[in-house]
Amino acid sequence: MDTQNCLMQLESYGFTINDVLLQWKEKDPLQIEDEYQLPQFLLTNSTTDSCTREYTTGSYPCVEVKFTFVRQMGYYMIQTYVPSLLIVCLSWIGFWIDISAATARVALGITTVLTMTTQISGSQDSLPKVSYIKAIDVWLAVCMVFAFAALLEFSTVNFIARLHEQRSMTRQFKKKRRVTYQESPEHRGLAPIASPDISPFHTSSQGDDADGGTRNNNAITTEEIPESYRYNAANGELVPLQQTGNHGNPTRRRQPSIWSAVMGPPQRTLSETVDAVSRIAFPMAFFLFNAIYWALYKYVI
């Protein structure tokens, strides 16, 4: 993943090739003790060559050896890669927290972003100051983007939820005004809100109507039946839709699947849909980045 070539030259500056001749042995020219090792690098190869120089004062003998080192990944995996990976995964927990818990989700998002910032600063202090982009720089930058994107996702979801709530309150206010207008005494005869003829519910308490007839004081219109319930004509009761079969008979509730647990209920708002999609999109995108990153820097570059 990270290969370094170190060149070492041995040259005589006081004697020319007429006085001193430097050459490598043909058999086993370089001997390296196995007990000597670098803490962060592994010596993989070494080559020897001659580098005799020509100057105005004459030719000077020179020999060189090139060492090839490969950086050990154990230290960086423990100190940088694994912690940043866990921080990114921690930022995804916010997708499973309810939208109304704004304090918890904001605190989690800000904590992950600040932790990634500290992780980047700490890793840069132990690395050489170079002008080109390193592999670890790409990894930390992408992890920072994922942590910050999770925080932006909550901002978007919170905005959509508040917008939906405002629209729902506006519709309820308009509906309440319309019902109040229809129930006023001067408009009762023009637009009655309930009628015993269309209501499936009848009680024994009846009162006199304005026209002298009788009407059901506790009558409920079909508009007042919740969407999650249905009227059972057999016993005259409201039965939840989740507990009714094709013929209105109570059935055993189906156990939720893993997909329904991840995506949430079928009837969900736009903000809940964004959270449900993010639970799958963020991990899949990060997994795809990992596959490309490790394949590229481990085997290609």
Side-chain angles (χ1 to χ4, degrees), residues 61-250:
C62 175
V63 291
E64 66 180 10
V65 57
K66 181 183 293 183
F67 299 99
T68 302
F69 295 96
V70 176
R71 191 182 299 273
Q72 297 278 21
M73 290 297 299
Y75 171 80
Y76 296 97
M77 289 293 294
I78 296 174
Q79 297 294 328
T80 303
Y81 283 96
V82 173
S84 57
L85 174 65
L86 296 179
I87 292 171
V88 174
C89 295
L90 181 64
S91 65
W92 300 339
I93 298 179
F95 303 148
W96 300 86
I97 301 178
D98 190 76
I99 302 174
S100 59
T103 304
R105 295 189 63 167
V106 169
L108 179 63
I110 295 178
T111 301
T112 53
V113 171
L114 294 179
T115 307
M116 278 304 308
T117 304
T118 305
Q119 185 75 18
I120 293 174
S121 301
S123 62
Q124 293 298 328
D125 293 339
S126 60
L127 294 175
K129 306 299 186 293
V130 294
S131 58
Y132 55 86
I133 299 177
K134 302 181 290 296
I136 197 171
D137 295 336
V138 176
W139 171 268
L140 293 175
V142 174
C143 290
M144 183 67 178
V145 170
F146 270 92
F148 190 72
L151 182 60
L152 291 181
E153 187 271 347
F154 170 69
S155 301
T156 305
V157 166
N158 188 37
F159 173 77
I160 295 175
R162 288 189 291 105
L163 185 63
H164 177 74
E165 183 179 359
Q166 291 176 359
R167 290 179 178 178
S168 299
M169 294 179 61
T170 302
R171 287 194 299 266
Q172 292 178 2
F173 178 74
K174 291 182 178 180
K175 183 178 180 180
K176 185 176 180 181
R177 290 185 58 184
R178 183 170 60 253
V179 171
T180 304
Y181 174 78
Q182 292 177 355
E183 289 183 348
S184 60
E186 59 272 12
H187 296 89
R188 184 179 302 174
L190 297 177
I193 190 172
S195 176
D197 298 333
I198 63 175
S199 175
F201 305 99
H202 301 278
T203 58
S204 59
S205 60
Q206 295 181 351
D208 296 337
D209 198 357
D211 297 334
T214 59
R215 63 180 178 88
N216 190 351
N217 293 332
N218 297 330
I220 302 177
T221 63
T222 55
E223 296 178 356
E224 298 179 2
I225 301 177
E227 296 181 356
S228 59
Y229 289 81
R230 62 170 298 174
Y231 175 69
N232 191 352
N235 52 15
E237 297 180 354
L238 289 178
V239 182
L241 292 178
Q242 298 90 334
Q243 300 180 2
T244 59
N246 298 332
H247 304 286
N249 298 323

Side-chain angles (χ1 to χ4, degrees), residues 24-82:
W24 291 104
K25 295 172 57 176
E26 294 183 359
K27 183 180 180 181
D28 197 10
L30 191 64
Q31 298 178 0
I32 301 176
E33 294 291 339
D34 296 335
E35 61 181 9
Y36 298 122
Q37 295 181 356
L38 295 176
Q40 298 184 15
F41 291 93
L42 178 64
L43 180 62
T44 58
N45 189 22
S46 60
T47 57
T48 58
D49 197 1
S50 176
C51 57
T52 301
R53 310 286 180 137
E54 296 288 341
Y55 299 100
T56 56
T57 56
S59 299
Y60 292 85
C62 175
V63 291
E64 66 180 10
V65 57
K66 181 183 293 183
F67 299 99
T68 302
F69 295 96
V70 176
R71 191 182 299 273
Q72 297 278 21
M73 290 297 299
Y75 171 80
Y76 296 97
M77 289 293 294
I78 296 174
Q79 297 294 328
T80 303
Y81 283 96
V82 173

